[in-house]
């Protein structure tokens, strides 16, 4: 989960999520991320001043915004689940079966949510053609990490610590002592409370 979250942050923050296959309006950038462009000199910038009209679909396009929203939600929930898992491991409360199943299902959901970042490829900003770059590969490995985490949490075998209720010890038993003769006694195991008995001149 930790590796997936780190990779997702890189995928979201990079300006080299996709590479531009065709020539853009002014040839000012060769790649772009979710929030900025990459120049021919591998420098990141927010606005393409050479082709101002190309900034509009980039910032207000439905597919681009869908990619931004889904990836941001995925990264946020991954951060929350990551800290939940680390705290569970440190305090020893992650061994519960219910806790593991819940974390596994959430990891699968985060994986699916992270897949929304690839809506970039169908956006109008990629109408001239885009190919996967470093950021896109980070997103793929991030999804793979979330998926593996979910499978491990959901399929891990049960252990003796999975029971939430602590097994209760059987109630203590007592022995009743009754005189039989002058020198012998009979001991019978019962569930009755302990009582005092007198054998001869001795109290037991």
């Amino acid at each position: 989960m930790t590796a997936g979250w780190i990779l997702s942050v890189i995928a979201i923050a990079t300006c080299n999520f996709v590479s531009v296959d065709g020539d853009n309006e002014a040839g000012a950038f060769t790649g772009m991320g979710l929030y900025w462009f990459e120049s021919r000199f591998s420098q990141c910038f927010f606005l393409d001043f050479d082709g101002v009209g190309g900034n509009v679909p980039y910032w207000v396009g439905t597919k681009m915004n869908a990619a931004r929203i889904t990836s941001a939600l995925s990264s946020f929930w991954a951060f929350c689940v990551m800290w939940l898992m680390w705290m569970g491991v440190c305090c020893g409360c992650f061994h519960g079966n219910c806790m593991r199943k819940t974390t596994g299902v959430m990891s699968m959901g985060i994986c699916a949510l992270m897949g929304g970042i690839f809506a970039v490829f169908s956006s109008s900003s990629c109408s001239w053609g885009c190919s996967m770059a470093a950021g896109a590969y980070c997103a793929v490995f991030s999804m793979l990490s979330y998926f593996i985490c979910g499978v491990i949490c959901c399929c891990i075998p049960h252990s003796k610590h999975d029971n939430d209720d602590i097994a209760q010890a059987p109630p203590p038993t007592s022995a009743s002592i009754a005189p039989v003769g002058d020198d012998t006694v009979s001991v019978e195991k019962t569930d009755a409370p302990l009582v005092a008995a007198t054998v001869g001149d001795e109290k037991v």
Side-chain angles (χ1 to χ4, degrees):
M1 177 61 70
T2 303
W5 177 75
I6 294 174
L7 290 171
S8 70
V9 171
I10 295 174
I12 294 171
T14 184
C15 62
N16 188 28
F17 184 82
V18 295
S19 297
V20 178
D21 295 334
D23 189 18
N24 53 68
E25 293 181 359
F29 60 92
T30 59
M32 64 180 181
L34 296 181
Y35 298 97
W36 43 9
F37 303 95
E38 183 185 39
S39 69
R40 296 189 302 269
F41 308 103
S42 300
Q43 296 177 340
C44 298
F45 58 95
F46 286 99
L47 295 175
D48 180 13
F49 293 102
D50 294 330
V52 180
N55 294 317
V56 176
Y58 176 79
W59 289 109
V60 302
T62 304
K63 298 293 181 64
M64 287 297 300
N65 286 329
R68 295 183 181 110
I69 293 172
T70 54
S71 60
L73 289 175
S74 174
S75 181
F76 171 76
W77 285 113
F79 179 81
C80 295
V81 174
M82 177 186 69
W83 278 108
L84 180 65
M85 294 177 68
W86 278 112
M87 291 177 63
V89 170
C90 293
C91 71
C93 56
F94 191 67
H95 58 259
N97 186 50
C98 180
M99 178 73 168
R100 291 198 303 267
K101 296 291 185 184
T102 302
T103 305
V105 172
M106 293 184 67
S107 298
M108 293 294 187
I110 292 170
C111 176
L113 200 59
M114 187 64 187
I117 196 173
F118 293 100
V120 172
F121 288 93
S122 59
S123 66
S124 58
S125 298
C126 275
S127 58
W128 51 80
C130 293
S131 59
M132 294 181 64
Y137 286 110
C138 286
V140 171
F141 286 109
S142 175
M143 293 177 62
L144 185 61
S145 299
Y146 294 148
F147 180 79
I148 293 175
C149 177
V151 170
I152 292 175
C153 291
C154 290
C155 300
I156 193 170
H158 296 275
S159 67
K160 63 181 180 179
H161 302 291
D162 288 341
N163 295 328
D164 296 329
D165 299 331
I166 302 176
Q168 299 294 331
T173 58
S174 60
S176 61
I177 304 175
V180 175
D182 294 337
D183 298 327
T184 61
V185 296
S186 174
V187 180
E188 180 182 359
K189 185 178 180 181
T190 66
D191 293 331
L194 295 175
V195 295
T198 304
V199 180
D201 295 334
E202 298 182 0
K203 185 177 181 180
V204 295

